[in-house]
Amino acid sequence: MASSGQSNMEMPLKGFAGCCIMNGADDIIASAENKGVRMFTVPKHQTYELQTDCKGSWNISSIETAPDFSATAYYFATSLSRALRIPVGIICSAYGGSTVEGWISRELLENYPDISLNPDSIERLHPMLRPMLMYNAMLKPLQNYTIKGFIWYQGESNVDRRNEYAALLTVLIADWRSTFDNPELPFYIVELADFLSKDDISGRQAWAEMRKEQAKVAETNRNTRLIRNSDLGEWNDIHPLDKKNLGQRAAESALETDNKLSLIH
């Protein structure tokens, strides 16, 4: 499997500074029991040219390696490995703060005249907001892997442009399936969590509308499913701490919807 998105997918088991994963320390200590989990983390990188290779290495779950594993991806892979009783490898290619446009190829972004692909224009943007550069450096090099599907946890950086999101994410799904030469690859979209104060009426409405856009993509694209997550957030923290329940929900969804996985089970 491959996982991607922004900081909530990137967030490791050891957490971020001042923001810990729920029960993360205990699960790191127990990580050696999950030898069936292997993870490849793609280093954060941006390029204007398509790449054919990237740095990084495969690591087996252990107390030394697990702290740096994506928590969501780790819990997903752990649940799947236990259910299927087979090793599960997962590639995590995530970039904190990135937009959906950052993960779409130039070829398809050229269809959007409001998105400038001129290097001068791109350089003026914050690195997290630059279009196509993550696709070039962090997705394209993976295309020769045979994968079972994608877990996508992104959207926070597109809330202000949520009306465009469903169309762009639909383009991304088609783009990635084409990159990996498999039009049927499952795509699991993680719903954005709720973290805003009840007093922030406009903000909560914007995020609710964004979740509707995510649901729309899941409803209108084949082999695409929404992973419920809105109930796992904490007030005033954009990074939900409960990644275990999320990873388990994603694994359950994969087992329910992927016939090949169900047959193995």
Side-chain angles (χ1 to χ4, degrees):
M1 295 288 292
S3 62
S4 187
Q6 50 185 113
S7 58
N8 267 309
M9 182 60 79
E10 179 186 348
M11 191 175 185
L13 268 177
K14 65 184 180 184
F16 292 140
C19 185
C20 298
I21 295 293
M22 186 181 297
N23 299 319
D26 291 339
D27 289 328
I28 288 171
I29 292 170
S31 60
E33 300 173 7
N34 297 309
K35 296 295 186 184
V37 174
R38 295 91 189 272
M39 191 173 299
F40 185 102
T41 302
V42 180
K44 290 194 290 186
H45 189 43
Q46 299 182 358
T47 62
Y48 286 93
E49 302 298 328
L50 291 170
Q51 302 299 299
T52 59
D53 198 5
C54 63
K55 295 181 179 179
S57 60
W58 283 100
N59 288 294
I60 295 175
S61 178
S62 72
I63 197 169
E64 292 81 19
T65 62
D68 294 314
F69 285 178
S70 158
T72 299
Y74 173 78
Y75 289 127
F76 169 83
T78 298
S79 297
L80 206 59
S81 180
R82 289 174 178 172
L84 300 176
R85 300 181 183 179
I86 60 171
V88 172
I90 189 160
I91 302 169
C92 182
S93 180
Y95 197 114
S98 59
T99 62
V100 66
E101 294 93 331
W103 297 95
I104 300 175
S105 66
R106 169 185 283 275
E107 180 182 4
L108 293 182
L109 288 179
E110 286 175 343
N111 295 319
Y112 294 84
D114 58 320
I115 300 175
S116 176
L117 301 180
N118 183 293
D120 290 337
S121 299
I122 292 176
E123 289 297 320
R124 287 194 290 269
L125 297 172
H126 190 286
M128 296 185 298
L129 306 179
R130 293 170 179 168
M132 81 176 175
L133 302 190
M134 291 79 169
Y135 174 90
N136 291 346
M138 299 177 63
L139 196 283
K140 185 66 173 179
L142 308 174
Q143 68 175 12
N144 290 326
Y145 274 108
T146 299
I147 64 171
K148 293 290 186 179
F150 308 102
I151 309 171
W152 174 253
Y153 193 166
Q154 190 277 337
E156 298 92 336
S157 292
N158 282 90
V159 169
D160 289 343
R161 303 188 309 283
R162 54 193 175 279
N163 293 335
E164 310 162 10
Y165 192 75
L168 286 167
L169 185 54
T170 295
V171 166
L172 180 145
I173 293 170
D175 199 13
W176 285 21
R177 287 171 172 170
S178 175
T179 297
F180 286 87
D181 196 26
N182 186 344
E184 301 301 323
L185 280 173
F187 200 95
Y188 303 98
I189 303 167
V190 176
E191 180 185 49
L192 294 190
D194 187 10
F195 75 100
L196 296 169
S197 166
K198 292 182 179 179
D199 296 330
D200 186 356
I201 297 174
S202 62
R204 290 176 65 86
Q205 180 177 343
W207 280 65
E209 291 172 356
M210 183 60 162
R211 285 191 283 272
K212 287 183 180 179
E213 293 297 301
Q214 292 180 306
K216 183 191 301 183
V217 177
E219 293 166 359
T220 57
N221 287 271
R222 69 186 185 281
N223 290 351
T224 303
R225 191 161 183 174
L226 187 71
I227 309 301
R228 187 168 61 90
N229 186 43
S230 59
D231 61 323
L232 297 180
E234 295 85 25
W235 177 75
N236 205 32
D237 191 344
I238 199 170
H239 300 112
L241 309 184
D242 185 0
K243 295 293 195 284
K244 177 175 282 188
N245 272 312
L246 174 59
Q248 290 173 343
R249 289 176 184 180
E252 290 168 2
S253 185
L255 289 167
E256 290 172 2
T257 59
D258 190 320
N259 291 330
K260 292 180 181 178
L261 291 179
S262 299
L263 287 172
I264 293 173
H265 180 59

